[in-house]
Amino acid sequence: MRARGGARPGAGAVAVAALGTALLAALAACGGQGDAGRAAGALVLAAPRDLVAGPEDPYFTHRTLGVWEPLVTLDGGMRPAPALATGWERSGGGRRWTFTLRTGVRFSDGTPLTAEAVVANVERFRRIAPRPSAFFSLDAGMEAAYGKLTGVRAEGGKVVFTLAEPVADLPARLADFYSMIQAPSAFGAGGEFAGGPVGTGPYTLVSWSKGRQAELAANPGYWGGRPAFDRIVVKTVPDANARVAALRAGEVAGLMDKGALLPGQVAAVAAEGRFRVTRTPSVLTHYLTFNASRGPFADPRLREAVDLAIDRRAIAGTLLAGTATPGAPFLSPIFGALSDPGLRPVHDPARARGLVAAAGRPAGPVSILISSSETGQFPYADIAEVLRADLRAVGLPARVNVAEATKAVMEAGDYDIFLSAYSVPNGDPDYLFRRFLRSDAAWNRERNLGYRSEEFDRLIDRAAAAAGADERRELYHRVQRLLAADRPMIPLAYQDNPVVTSSAVRGLTQSPAYLVDLAGLAPAR
């Protein structure tokens, strides 16, 4: 890897421009079709955010760049699927899990994947947690990942986890980020990255420049076969209109990651014919989070009034242009049977006005907080204005506050409602509930949600240990009915994630966790 954040910006810009020009030339030569990418040997894409966070981050790079791989991943149905582990066995009532590793796998530095290397990665996570991340935080501590882990060891070439209490869903919990595996040589004694990431994936990180771009090279020793593109550059373009302009100008051959296309852009881009838009249901849900640590939303009647005042169907159908569906249960339908189908969105402004009258109108306007960075991924400025109108109509005057550092604003308690999208990158509801809403969750306490429920805590602990699918489903349905009544957060809409490539590129696939398979991309024939 050649550079770190902020380094060699001029060289990075030149590299991107050169690659983009090469791809453009090839596209032009082929009339926008054919083997442009192969002729150029490079593919230039764009994403709304940095997909490289650097050595301070527990993962260094986002999983979607294909630099590192996990033990377990998710299939299209959000079920645990083999990655570096080809299988797993549970014994001892869920207190012992044994993972069998894929053979013939080597890290990009040439060293072999071994059970000892996997153990070193797990021990590193335990050493450095809690640790925030730009991609998937370890801030809930490792108990959220492994349960009460008493040991992890290499045994006959396999990896054995032993737990003090049963964890029924350990493979699901480990999917993707919690089971990232890199060569032990990538880390120092304290668990910090010693240099660049050294994974087993189809690509290696060649260089990166914070806020600008990441450059990847094909891993010649990849166990899954060499990718079609020798090099890929992923540019960071936070502005949604600039991303689409770059796509139309041929400066980039595709847009990837969450919020790649604004919902209002999807139909126009798809209609142009020279692009392929892929829309898939995702784990992304837009939520409203209440500051219930103080008034006015310490009063549950006013949280209910907000819930009833919102016209979710109008937001999903108009502002989100049909790329989302109205939210009701805390878990979206992508979670299958774990989502409670008995909960439905209710829009009842008259009842909301009655609740406001009973509770008393707040002394001043309530604040709706949104993140400036998320306005480039979703139409949050417009949605916040609609929310403001909906609240005013039921007697709750509101103002919109756009901030860059929303975390600091929330920790200062200087907000009433926060609009944001959250996802569950490992597909396991326990991650979301335990990290956000458990009474002792740092996220709950530090961001002033003020949610304390012994019943909620007890239900999610029981669900984590439940071995039977029926029992787990019933427990999570009870959790969602409890949250629908307490309303510490309310789901606004379940978001699809549209991504796009030029028709000169084929093979675009995306998981529910908005992971694009870069190794599957190839020049169109």
Side-chain angles (χ1 to χ4, degrees):
M1 192 182 67
R2 291 200 302 264
R4 291 185 49 180
R8 58 184 295 277
V14 170
V16 172
L19 290 167
T21 301
L23 181 60
L24 265 176
L27 285 167
C30 300
Q33 301 292 330
D35 55 354
R38 180 171 297 175
L43 179 70
V44 184
L45 306 171
R49 58 174 176 163
D50 273 323
L51 294 174
V52 179
E56 292 77 20
D57 191 277
Y59 309 100
F60 209 120
T61 68
H62 194 278
R63 161 98 162 92
T64 202
L65 293 184
V67 173
W68 56 265
E69 297 175 300
L71 279 184
V72 182
T73 189
L74 298 173
D75 66 12
M78 301 280 283
R79 296 174 292 265
L84 291 178
T86 56
W88 39 87
E89 297 177 356
R90 184 178 69 185
S91 58
R95 290 183 172 83
R96 176 187 166 103
W97 285 86
T98 302
F99 290 79
T100 301
L101 300 183
R102 190 177 299 277
T103 58
V105 177
R106 290 186 175 274
F107 294 104
S108 58
D109 66 356
T111 59
L113 171 72
T114 63
E116 288 77 8
V118 173
V119 170
N121 277 267
V122 175
E123 294 292 3
R124 171 189 175 252
F125 270 163
R126 297 175 74 187
R127 194 159 55 247
I128 67 174
R131 178 73 61 90
S133 165
F135 309 128
F136 186 84
S137 291
L138 296 173
D139 56 4
M142 295 317 297
E143 188 171 328
Y146 307 124
K148 297 184 185 303
L149 184 65
T150 58
V152 55
R153 66 181 185 277
E155 185 175 290
K158 300 182 179 182
V159 180
V160 180
F161 293 81
T162 54
L163 305 155
E165 297 176 0
V167 173
D169 60 339
L170 187 63
R173 289 192 184 196
L174 294 183
D176 293 322
F177 286 93
Y178 274 147
S179 64
M180 175 191 77
I181 305 300
Q182 299 210 20
S185 62
F187 312 117
E192 309 299 332
F193 279 96
V198 184
T200 60
Y203 284 98
T204 61
L205 181 65
V206 176
S207 68
W208 63 285
S209 178
K210 185 175 178 59
R212 300 189 63 174
Q213 57 104 7
E215 183 179 351
L216 308 171
N219 177 2
Y222 182 52
W223 60 270
R226 192 179 180 90
F229 288 104
D230 289 337
R231 303 181 85 79
I232 290 180
V233 171
V234 182
K235 301 173 70 173
T236 303
V237 185
D239 183 85
N241 292 325
R243 286 196 300 275
V244 170
L247 179 73
R248 284 176 168 146
E251 295 170 3
V252 302
L255 309 179
M256 59 182 283
D257 197 38
K258 66 176 180 177
L261 280 172
L262 282 183
Q265 298 171 325
V266 173
V269 171
E272 292 189 32
R274 56 189 176 127
F275 304 119
R276 294 191 176 101
V277 175
T278 299
R279 276 180 56 185
T280 52
S282 79
V283 291
L284 283 168
T285 296
H286 303 285
Y287 289 99
L288 296 183
T289 301
F290 290 105
N291 177 355
S293 64
R294 57 160 173 75
F297 293 114
D299 188 328
R301 293 173 295 182
L302 292 183
R303 298 200 299 273
E304 184 178 1
V306 172
D307 197 0
L308 295 170
I310 301 168
D311 187 351
R312 290 173 168 80
R313 288 186 172 83
I315 291 173
T318 303
L319 296 179
L320 295 173
T323 65
T325 53
F330 207 89
L331 298 176
S332 71
I334 193 76
F335 289 91
L338 297 183
S339 176
D340 187 346
L343 297 172
R344 295 277 191 275
V346 177
H347 181 216
D348 190 342
R351 189 173 154 205
R353 280 191 291 272
L355 288 164
V356 173
R361 185 171 172 161
V366 300
S367 64
I368 301 171
L369 174 66
I370 60 175
S371 163
S372 58
S373 64
E374 287 193 306
T375 59
Q377 296 172 297
F378 307 107
Y380 274 180
D382 293 338
I383 292 176
E385 286 302 321
V386 168
L387 292 174
R388 190 168 70 88
D390 285 344
L391 297 189
R392 185 178 61 228
V394 301
L396 285 173
R399 57 182 168 83
V400 177
N401 178 23
V402 183
E404 181 178 353
T406 55
K407 179 174 181 286
V409 175
M410 296 178 79
E411 289 180 350
D414 190 20
Y415 79 105
D416 294 308
I417 300 171
F418 179 49
L419 167 62
S420 188
Y422 296 107
S423 65
V424 189
N426 67 347
D428 188 74
D430 188 81
Y431 169 80
L432 186 64
F433 293 137
R434 191 172 300 277
R435 178 182 173 227
F436 283 19
L437 293 174
R438 204 177 195 284
S439 298
D440 58 358
W443 202 92
N444 180 354
R445 291 183 287 104
E446 294 171 359
R447 288 168 173 75
N448 293 290
L449 272 64
Y451 188 54
R452 304 287 184 272
S453 170
E454 292 182 3
E455 183 182 2
F456 173 85
D457 297 348
R458 185 168 55 252
L459 286 172
I460 65 167
D461 287 348
R462 284 182 59 191
D470 290 345
E471 181 186 6
R472 194 161 183 252
R473 181 182 63 244
E474 173 55 27
L475 287 166
Y476 279 135
H477 285 189
R478 289 174 62 185
V479 166
Q480 290 167 89
R481 291 193 290 271
L482 179 64
L483 292 177
D486 291 347
R487 299 179 178 85
M489 300 170 65
I490 56 177
L492 194 63
Y494 311 127
Q495 181 67 58
D496 288 356
N497 194 51
V499 291
V500 58
T501 59
S502 156
S503 57
V505 177
R506 62 181 173 86
L508 178 67
T509 60
Q510 179 183 223
S511 78
Y514 46 87
L515 300 176
V516 167
D517 178 15
L518 294 182
L521 298 177
R525 299 185 184 281

